[in-house]
Amino acid sequence: MRPRGNAFALSALLSAAFLGALVALRIPAAKADLGPLPVPGPTVTLPPVTLPPITLPVTLPGETTTTAPSPAGGNETPSGTGSSAASPTGSDAVPSGPETNLRGAIKLADGSVSIRVASVTAPLWLVITRVVATPRTVRARGQKLRLAVLVRDSRGYLVRGAHVEARSAKPGRLIQLSGPATRVDGTASLLVRTTKLLPLKQAGKLAVVVRAGTSDIAARKQILLPIRPLRRPSSQ
């Protein structure tokens, strides 16, 4: 009985030793599978990259590409018919296009351009842009009035050499005493006089028709002058 107990004890010791050795071999292998632990390091932030915008020219059907004038004056865009700038001599327009192509054109000191009436042909036309009467009120029959007239063409150029005349819309109420042609600045001064046929009605109006041009081309403009008759002194 005793030898069998010793053999059992020896077998138990060998089994315990074998299990201990097996556990010792598996623990390092498990640790080896974990790999190296991460080491914290500095954080690097890269700046955002911004690309410049790219613009591609797009031409729609029916459009044309225009080139803007260079600051040095290399490109010049002439103005077309009706293109104008403010005139220093009045409220009317003065064109800013190239005047060198106009025959007989004269550039005045204020920048406006004067042309001959003979150079105004169809499809161009004359325009009476201003008529001012002095005095502006009709007081009596036989009263003299001075009319200041300004003539341009349809492009806005001042017109010289245009014959100017004035009459009343209803015949016989106004006669013209003088009527020269327009000067280099497009102006003319007319002297007229009312006649005995003028009705002196309070709050009435005298219609004056002004014509300027030649036998081939002319412009007309009508103005209305108020009639304010003078009061006659009462007889005692």
Side-chain angles (χ1 to χ4, degrees):
M1 296 297 293
R2 193 171 184 178
R4 182 179 295 182
N6 292 334
F8 181 80
L10 180 60
S11 178
L13 290 175
L14 292 175
S15 298
F18 178 79
L19 292 175
L22 182 61
V23 171
L25 292 174
R26 289 186 176 183
I27 290 176
K31 291 183 179 181
D33 294 339
L34 296 178
L37 296 177
V39 179
T43 303
V44 179
T45 304
L46 296 178
V49 178
T50 303
L51 297 178
I54 301 176
T55 303
L56 297 178
V58 178
T59 303
L60 298 177
E63 293 185 349
T64 57
T65 303
T66 57
T67 304
S70 64
N75 297 327
E76 182 176 1
T77 304
S79 61
T81 302
S83 176
S84 57
S87 168
T89 58
S91 60
D92 306 302
V94 173
S96 57
E99 299 84 13
T100 56
N101 296 331
L102 297 175
R103 181 176 300 178
I106 300 175
K107 192 166 186 179
L108 305 182
D110 59 3
S112 57
V113 178
S114 173
I115 61 174
R116 299 178 299 180
V117 67
S119 64
V120 182
T121 57
L124 304 175
W125 63 91
L126 295 175
V127 182
I128 300 176
T129 57
R130 187 174 64 219
V131 177
V132 178
T134 306
R136 298 185 178 183
T137 303
V138 178
R139 296 290 187 180
R141 298 183 182 96
Q143 177 182 346
K144 292 182 179 180
L145 304 170
R146 187 168 296 278
L147 304 177
V149 181
L150 177 62
V151 181
R152 297 182 184 270
D153 74 344
S154 54
R155 297 166 296 182
Y157 294 113
L158 301 172
V159 176
R160 64 183 184 271
H163 179 70
V164 183
E165 57 186 16
R167 60 176 178 82
S168 58
K170 293 185 177 180
R173 298 183 177 184
L174 192 71
I175 60 174
Q176 182 173 331
L177 302 179
S178 65
T182 53
R183 296 180 285 267
V184 68
D185 60 354
T187 62
S189 181
L190 285 74
L191 186 62
V192 297
R193 184 180 63 194
T194 59
T195 68
K196 61 181 181 181
L197 299 179
L198 176 68
L200 292 178
K201 295 181 179 180
Q202 192 69 25
K205 293 184 182 297
L206 173 62
V208 180
V209 179
V210 179
R211 180 187 182 277
T214 64
S215 58
D216 299 327
I217 185 170
R220 289 177 175 81
K221 186 178 183 64
Q222 177 176 298
I223 62 172
L224 297 177
L225 301 179
I227 298 176
R228 302 290 185 269
L230 297 172
R231 294 182 180 180
R232 295 181 181 178
S234 59
S235 58
Q236 298 180 353

